[in-house]
Amino acid sequence: MSPADIQNDMREFLDSLAQDRYLIAAESAELCAQQDTHFSYSENPKTLFTYNAQQNPDDQKTYGDTQEVLGQEYIQNPAVHACQIETTNRCNERCIHCYIPHKFKNVILPYEVIENILEQLHELGTLNLTLSGGEFFCHPDAEKILRKARELDFSFNELSNITLLTPHMIEVLKETNPSMIQTSLYSVYPEEHDHITQLPGSCEKTKASIDALIAASLPVQISCPVMHTNYKTYKDVLKFAYDRNCKAQTDFVMMARYDFTTDNLSERLTMEETEELLKEIIQFDKDYLDFTDTPVPPMSREEWGKQKFCGVGLDNLCIASDGIVYPCSGWQGMPCGNVREQPIKDIWEKSPQLNKLRALTKSAIPQCYDCEDRQFCAPCLVRNFNESAGDYLKVAPHFCKASHLNRKLVEEAKAKMRAPK
């Protein structure tokens, strides 16, 4: 093939990407900037909510995609593709289900340390950044952090309860252009939401801030974890999101605190409540049944055993408000190093804990292969760790029961659909 042929093929390829709006093509950088389209609720409505009902996507996939290709690449060449920075663990709310023990919520990571972290991540080629807390806007230098993240051209998400959002900070967010601002709205009813957050007035403040962000055309995603307090009314949160063309997600997976205390799990749904919730999912979410109906290719025990649990130690990292590095958010029981003492690159490459996790495969929990419910279960190492006093290979019985119930109800629903009328 001649150089001209290669050039023409490349042009056709780039033109096709531009046509599908993956790229912007113009004669100059200025013209490209003029054509750039920003997030819009009218042009890019995000009205679909998603449930986390413990389906296992790894066992369901029958095709290759970008995520799968990247996953294989990171298995061979681990890299910090994504990093969550818990800039402070201070929070103005005291959510009754939170995995961070409230007694520890008084630490702020100094801006100078965060700035150095961001510069190191930039040098490492990190693409995705999550800025969180505690409550991110409790950090006195929240604006400087946002501007530094934009200066270094990260694709970054913001996790916040948004009750402290001000008109000025909304303007800062517009200028710094986050990929997503994720907030929690537990109920549209103040008596329920405020009971969960333990902050009077937080429901109305959160709803008002959501509307303010939408008015500013900033991308918002609402998270609504389902628990005792709100499992009868969570659908009203979804409707609140639909009415605003705003994406919403809900799940019923609750994690114990990272100091191994489990009193927050008193809000976890009982099996009876979980059954009621799953029946609603099956009845109202057609995509859920379609997803669980995907043919599962046969997989030998050996093939299954070679699979990784997730990207922990392979493509992501969490840095907490005290500078300590952890495998992922919530896994503060397994320190891997401290950014105040070591370069992130050294921690990533030399941490005994991370290297041990990198070598871990599903063969470490062999009983799961023989479990008939495994397609409806997504074992999570940090959930295991926090709920089993540090044993990340011990699956909590609650999740086994929920997975079994999930499979049973799906099979019953499909049998009913196939039955003659």
Side-chain angles (χ1 to χ4, degrees):
M1 182 178 289
S2 69
D5 290 333
I6 295 173
Q7 188 175 27
N8 288 334
D9 284 350
M10 189 64 179
R11 180 174 290 277
E12 286 182 13
F13 172 64
L14 294 176
D15 285 345
S16 69
L17 292 178
Q19 184 177 355
D20 291 334
R21 300 179 70 181
Y22 287 103
L23 297 176
I24 295 171
E27 297 299 322
S28 67
E30 291 76 15
L31 290 173
C32 281
Q34 291 175 17
Q35 294 182 33
D36 194 7
T37 55
H38 297 282
F39 177 86
S40 166
Y41 283 93
S42 59
E43 294 179 8
N44 303 294
K46 292 179 176 291
T47 58
L48 294 178
F49 69 90
T50 57
Y51 283 104
N52 180 347
Q54 288 186 269
Q55 318 94 300
N56 188 339
D58 291 331
D59 283 349
Q60 295 280 1
K61 279 186 180 176
T62 57
Y63 59 90
D65 59 17
T66 304
Q67 184 176 352
E68 189 175 89
V69 171
L70 285 174
Q72 291 302 314
E73 169 63 22
Y74 291 131
I75 288 174
Q76 301 300 321
N77 302 290
V80 189
H81 172 81
C83 182
Q84 178 163 337
I85 305 175
E86 297 179 351
T87 60
T88 176
N89 64 12
R90 285 187 180 178
C91 190
N92 59 325
E93 295 183 336
R94 289 292 182 268
C95 295
I96 55 181
H97 64 292
C98 185
Y99 67 80
I100 300 176
H102 298 317
K103 62 185 177 182
F104 296 150
K105 293 183 176 180
N106 196 34
V107 180
I108 291 176
L109 193 59
Y111 173 75
E112 294 72 22
V113 178
I114 295 174
E115 181 181 41
N116 182 259
I117 289 170
L118 294 177
E119 289 172 348
Q120 287 188 63
L121 292 173
H122 180 68
E123 288 296 316
L124 289 171
T126 300
L127 297 177
N128 296 324
L129 194 66
T130 298
L131 300 172
S132 69
E135 169 47 45
F136 174 75
F137 289 111
C138 281
H139 198 292
D141 294 308
E143 178 176 345
K144 290 171 67 176
I145 296 168
L146 291 169
R147 293 193 183 282
K148 187 65 180 181
R150 174 48 53 231
E151 175 191 326
L152 294 176
D153 202 26
F154 287 104
S155 170
F156 67 91
N157 299 319
E158 179 64 47
L159 304 187
S160 169
N161 63 42
I162 62 175
T163 59
L164 302 175
L165 210 54
T166 63
H168 171 71
M169 194 56 70
I170 288 177
E171 290 302 312
V172 172
L173 288 168
K174 288 172 68 174
E175 293 172 24
T176 54
N177 192 26
S179 300
M180 185 67 69
I181 301 163
Q182 181 173 320
T183 191
S184 294
L185 182 63
Y186 303 106
S187 175
V188 296
Y189 306 108
E191 62 273 19
E192 293 181 355
H193 179 94
D194 294 359
H195 168 72
I196 292 172
T197 66
Q198 298 290 287
L199 179 65
S202 58
C203 180
E204 296 306 321
K205 287 180 181 178
T206 300
K207 290 192 291 185
S209 291
I210 289 171
D211 284 337
L213 290 168
I214 290 172
S217 293
L218 285 161
V220 182
Q221 176 172 296
I222 297 172
S223 176
C224 182
V226 183
M227 57 192 90
H228 281 313
T229 298
N230 66 349
Y231 91 101
K232 293 285 189 181
T233 60
Y234 74 95
K235 285 187 290 186
D236 295 324
V237 174
L238 301 180
K239 184 179 185 304
F240 177 91
Y242 298 157
D243 291 345
R244 290 157 175 76
N245 278 347
C246 178
K247 186 174 182 180
Q249 65 176 11
T250 181
D251 67 65
F252 58 87
V253 176
M254 191 176 293
M255 184 164 65
R257 294 196 176 103
Y258 67 67
D259 64 350
F260 306 141
T261 57
T262 57
D263 54 300
N264 63 322
L265 299 184
S266 63
E267 272 292 315
R268 177 187 275 170
L269 297 183
T270 64
M271 282 300 112
E272 291 75 21
E273 291 166 340
T274 301
E275 180 171 1
E276 186 176 339
L277 178 68
L278 285 169
K279 285 179 177 178
E280 285 186 351
I281 295 173
I282 292 168
Q283 181 179 356
F284 295 110
D285 185 4
K286 179 180 181 298
D287 289 339
Y288 181 74
L289 274 184
D290 289 345
F291 180 82
T292 58
D293 210 24
T294 305
V296 180
M299 185 180 297
S300 70
R301 183 182 295 272
E302 183 181 11
E303 291 173 312
W304 176 85
K306 289 179 180 178
Q307 291 184 335
K308 299 293 183 179
F309 283 96
C310 57
V312 67
L314 299 175
D315 63 7
N316 66 82
L317 207 57
C318 177
I319 301 172
S321 55
D322 51 9
I324 297 179
V325 175
Y326 298 103
C328 65
S329 177
W331 206 336
Q332 273 87 331
M334 185 177 282
C336 302
N338 193 317
V339 295
R340 296 185 177 197
E341 301 168 0
Q342 301 166 266
I344 297 173
K345 186 175 187 295
D346 285 357
I347 297 172
W348 180 252
E349 294 177 352
K350 300 175 183 178
S351 162
Q353 296 85 357
L354 288 175
N355 281 317
K356 184 176 181 179
L357 291 172
R358 278 185 198 117
L360 198 66
T361 65
K362 289 184 177 180
S363 62
I365 311 181
Q367 67 269 27
C368 290
Y369 178 83
D370 298 312
C371 179
E372 59 184 357
D373 306 317
R374 67 181 172 93
Q375 289 172 234
F376 296 85
C377 177
C380 175
L381 299 176
V382 62
R383 274 204 320 251
N384 294 349
F385 187 89
N386 287 2
E387 198 157 336
S388 303
D391 187 351
Y392 54 82
L393 298 180
K394 183 180 179 181
V395 182
H398 174 85
F399 300 110
C400 296
K401 293 176 183 177
S403 300
H404 179 75
L405 180 61
N406 194 2
R407 180 182 67 84
K408 172 178 170 288
L409 293 174
V410 166
E411 289 180 351
E412 288 176 357
K414 289 178 180 176
K416 188 175 181 179
M417 290 171 62
R418 289 191 293 264
K421 301 294 185 179

